[in-house]
Amino acid sequence: MKRQAYEPILITDAARSQDDQLNSRQKRYVLMMGIRVACLVAGAILVGAKAPLLWLWLPLCGLGMVLIPWLAVLLANDRPPKEQHRLSNKLHARHETPPMALPAEERPHKVIDAEP
């Protein structure tokens, strides 16, 4: 078995859980559908009130009611990007010096704050 170089594992490098990703996509979808309903209601109010520049506002509301559901579905099914170039990462191994191979002065170490 090949020995790997020392690489600390950082929690910030961890991917979001599937539940968190799904939850955020659902919230975004519901928000966008709410905007679509607002476009529908605004269009109905504009027609009922015979608003000035109705020829401008109705196409904008209609465009919002057509494009927003399409975008909402695309974004709801979107997941975070996977690791880029997985194969190239395996082929091009990192050429870093493991910390234990460094002299003691150059090794990464913890800094402990002493409380008074």
Side-chain angles (χ1 to χ4, degrees), residues 23-85:
N23 198 12
S24 67
R25 291 194 322 254
Q26 286 173 338
K27 287 178 184 176
R28 186 172 33 202
Y29 181 82
V30 169
L31 177 70
M32 292 180 84
M33 287 296 113
I35 294 171
R36 179 186 186 204
V37 169
C39 285
L40 177 67
V41 170
I45 291 172
L46 288 171
V47 168
K50 296 192 187 333
L53 299 175
L54 190 62
W55 58 271
L56 175 66
W57 296 114
L58 281 182
L60 288 176
C61 287
L63 192 63
M65 290 185 325
V66 170
L67 286 181
I68 288 177
W70 177 69
L71 288 173
V73 169
L74 285 178
L75 293 175
N77 290 323
D78 187 29
R79 290 193 175 179
K82 294 183 179 179
E83 274 184 48
Q84 292 181 344
H85 313 293

Side-chain angles (χ1 to χ4, degrees), residues 7-17 81 83 94:
E7 288 186 34
I9 299 172
L10 301 174
I11 191 65
T12 56
D13 292 340
R16 290 176 53 198
S17 72
E83 274 184 48
R94 294 183 183 184

